[in-house]
Amino acid sequence: MSRRTRFSQAAVAVSVIALAAVGCGKSSTDSSGGGSDKSSSGYSGKGIGLAYDIGGKGDQSFNDAAFAGFQKAEAEFKIGGRDIEPQDGESDADKVQRLEQLAKSGYNPVIGVGFVYAPAIKEVAAKYPKVTFGIIDDEQDKAANIADLVFHEEQSSYLAGVAAAKATKKNHIGFIGGVDIPLIHKFEAGFDQGAKSVNPKIKIESQYLTQTPQEGGFASPDKGKDAAAGQIEKGADVLYHAAGLSGQGVISQAAAKKVWAIGVDSDQYAQSSLAKYKDWILGSALKNVGGAVYDLAKSVVDGKPLNGVVRGDLKSGGVGFADTNPKYKAMPDVVAAVDKAKQDIIAGTVTVKTTP
């Protein structure tokens, strides 16, 4: 029987590390751990294995959030770890090979970062029943050794919508999604609903960069920049992106035109590579991917591996809204509106839609 749990309340801070020169599909980290924590728990694995989604490490968003949890687990549990970059235009067979490489080498748990790993996780988990597998952003794989690490992205996006509607001076805002898929529809749905809870007549631009992940919707900052330029030209003065690495283009263009951007997944105001744009990052809709990675690793090290659907929401701290920009904190009406919306969602007086 699947056990369900909440993500840990504490958010995992993302540590940004300069990318090493690595080849496609090769490991970017291969550390060995050891010590009393590992031996006393009875954990016999080689460490945590992490396979990145499109865009890879260095996206300052989704993948880097997973890497933060990976690093924290390595350090706290004194275990090894290996993380592997994706290939450009890779097939499901490539993903299968990557996961098998990690499982066969003795890593446990093995985590696929992103829904694109669903077919590969299903296949490889059946071959290695003693290894715990995790997949982020997908819940279709069901097995005793699989944990489906999913989130209520629509809830944090609702808060982003409230913030955008309160901060706009033109009653005109925009949403930019990386790929036109159900997962990203949740971000748009929450954002639209949150904004309209403040102003039912607010104008919202909406655009998806590509129809499929293979076309680069999550990995093309130039596409994000072009989309942002178009929405700003139409009059939007607050832009929210759910576009992975492509979001860097959205943020840079917003800063260039001196309009607000709202980041996603990680606290993008705090990312070193985005520092020159941070004054124009109003906040970020957080998804505690790092916490999910950390919690799964902890459960395996403790000998009680999680399985089944493990869902993060506002109440559990699995999603949230980053308020680290002092300019955001200096807007008391915006802060108060976002805080009230959060409490309303937690209390159940507001139910957030998952489709636009």
Side-chain angles (χ1 to χ4, degrees):
M1 182 176 180
S2 295
R3 290 191 295 116
R4 298 170 185 261
T5 187
R6 293 176 179 172
F7 293 121
S8 57
Q9 293 279 354
V12 178
V14 175
S15 301
V16 179
I17 295 179
L19 284 173
V22 295
C24 290
K26 293 185 179 180
S27 171
S28 56
T29 300
D30 197 349
S31 59
S32 59
S36 58
D37 284 6
K38 184 166 70 171
S39 58
S40 63
S41 70
Y43 175 74
S44 59
K46 194 172 181 179
I48 181 173
L50 195 70
Y52 291 114
D53 195 6
I54 297 166
K57 190 164 65 178
D59 65 355
Q60 313 300 317
S61 184
F62 183 63
N63 287 295
D64 280 355
F67 180 60
F70 170 91
Q71 284 188 305
K72 184 178 181 182
E74 278 189 307
E76 290 196 11
F77 309 136
K78 298 180 174 63
I79 58 176
R82 186 178 184 188
D83 59 332
I84 307 181
E85 298 284 345
Q87 299 179 29
D88 292 333
E90 68 181 19
S91 66
D92 283 343
D94 294 317
K95 295 180 179 65
V96 168
Q97 184 180 28
R98 184 176 307 129
L99 297 177
E100 282 191 336
Q101 180 183 356
L102 291 169
K104 188 175 182 179
S105 298
Y107 292 97
N108 188 19
V110 173
I111 302 172
V113 185
F115 65 90
V116 293
Y117 279 95
I121 289 281
K122 182 178 181 180
E123 180 176 338
V124 181
K127 296 178 182 179
Y128 295 88
K130 293 184 179 180
V131 175
T132 293
F133 291 83
I135 181 165
I136 296 170
D137 282 350
D138 189 88
E139 55 183 300
Q140 62 181 301
D141 290 343
K142 308 297 180 186
N145 63 329
I146 296 177
D148 298 311
L149 309 174
V150 293
F151 303 83
H152 281 290
E153 297 93 349
E154 72 279 4
Q155 294 182 351
S156 54
S157 296
Y158 184 100
L159 303 185
V162 170
K166 294 292 289 186
T168 181
K169 295 179 179 179
K170 298 181 179 180
N171 290 320
H172 193 169
I173 61 178
F175 170 79
I176 297 172
V179 181
D180 190 358
I181 53 175
L183 173 64
I184 307 303
H185 296 167
K186 292 172 67 180
F187 289 87
E188 181 186 6
F191 181 71
D192 286 2
Q193 186 180 347
K196 290 176 180 176
S197 74
V198 174
N199 178 5
K201 296 182 179 180
I202 194 168
K203 186 172 183 179
I204 305 175
E205 303 292 337
S206 181
Q207 182 176 349
Y208 288 88
L209 301 180
T210 64
Q211 294 299 305
T212 67
Q214 291 75 19
E215 296 172 280
F218 293 131
S220 305
D222 57 328
K223 294 182 187 296
K225 183 177 181 179
D226 289 346
Q231 293 194 355
I232 294 168
E233 186 175 347
K234 291 178 181 178
D237 64 352
V238 185
L239 305 182
Y240 171 46
H241 84 86
L245 182 64
S246 300
Q248 293 189 20
V250 176
I251 291 170
S252 67
Q253 184 65 17
K257 296 299 183 180
K258 294 181 168 48
V259 303
W260 288 117
I262 296 178
V264 77
D265 294 341
S266 298
D267 181 358
Q268 297 201 290
Y269 175 85
Q271 303 307 310
S272 59
S273 70
L274 299 174
K276 60 184 175 181
Y277 312 124
K278 68 179 185 179
D279 285 347
W280 295 99
I281 301 176
L282 181 65
S284 296
L286 299 174
K287 185 160 72 170
N288 195 7
V289 174
V293 169
Y294 172 86
D295 287 350
L296 183 59
K298 183 178 188 302
S299 75
V300 174
V301 171
D302 288 347
K304 300 176 181 178
L306 296 170
N307 69 337
V309 176
V310 185
R311 190 180 301 276
D313 59 10
L314 278 176
K315 187 174 182 180
S316 69
V319 299
F321 190 78
D323 60 357
T324 48
N325 189 342
K327 291 184 177 180
Y328 171 83
K329 294 178 180 179
M331 302 177 184
D333 57 332
V334 179
V335 173
V338 171
D339 287 346
K340 183 179 185 304
K342 178 180 178 179
Q343 294 308 314
D344 287 345
I345 293 170
I346 291 173
T349 54
V350 171
T351 300
V352 187
K353 298 175 182 178
T354 56
T355 56

